[in-house]
Amino acid sequence: QVQLVESGGGFVQPGDSLRLSCAGSGRTVNIISTAWFRQLPGREREFAASVDSTGRRKNYADSVKGRFNISRDNLNMVYLQMNSLQLNDTAVYYCAASVGGGGYRVWGQGTQVTVSS
């Protein structure tokens, strides 16, 4: 099994940067892709960014493209660097993994990001 734990959320002002971390443990060798999703207040959970197991193939939602950068290292860590944060980036951010193919079925507990002036 794979477990994911997010960290790095917090309270920031518009225009600030923040880096989220996702630590994987367990059978991480079976992870095909890791993604960040977010759930804005009163909204459905939405995709933000993903990276494949090689770290080379990345995808971004239009709402974060050019401001967020997803990356991974070789120590089972995936990061989401968030720059130029906006008020509507306020959300709970979740790390998720696609293990052995299929969809994102393994989820972390989430970390809160609040952008407010």
Side-chain angles (χ1 to χ4, degrees):
Q1 289 189 349
V2 173
Q3 295 82 37
L4 303 173
V5 178
E6 303 97 331
S7 61
F11 187 100
V12 296
Q13 295 185 330
D16 284 354
S17 297
L18 201 61
R19 189 177 82 157
L20 305 182
S21 300
C22 174
S25 62
R27 295 183 178 270
T28 57
V29 66
N30 295 328
I31 293 177
I32 304 300
S33 174
T34 306
W36 287 95
F37 288 75
R38 64 184 189 177
Q39 187 163 17
L40 282 66
R43 302 274 295 273
E44 296 289 321
R45 193 175 299 184
E46 64 182 33
F47 169 82
S50 66
V51 61
D52 71 353
S53 58
T54 70
R56 292 193 292 265
R57 183 172 296 178
K58 304 178 181 181
N59 289 295
Y60 297 93
D62 288 343
S63 57
V64 307
K65 198 173 294 183
R67 299 187 300 121
F68 289 11
N69 181 61
I70 189 170
S71 62
R72 68 184 313 134
D73 64 14
N74 57 2
L75 297 175
N76 300 321
M77 296 293 296
V78 173
Y79 304 99
L80 186 68
Q81 177 66 42
M82 305 185 295
N83 301 320
S84 301
L85 282 162
Q86 303 168 355
L87 296 175
N88 58 7
D89 291 319
T90 294
V92 179
Y93 285 73
Y94 297 90
C95 180
S98 173
V99 181
Y104 293 102
R105 299 195 182 98
V106 179
W107 293 81
Q109 82 288 351
T111 184
Q112 176 70 48
V113 173
T114 302
V115 184
S116 176
S117 55

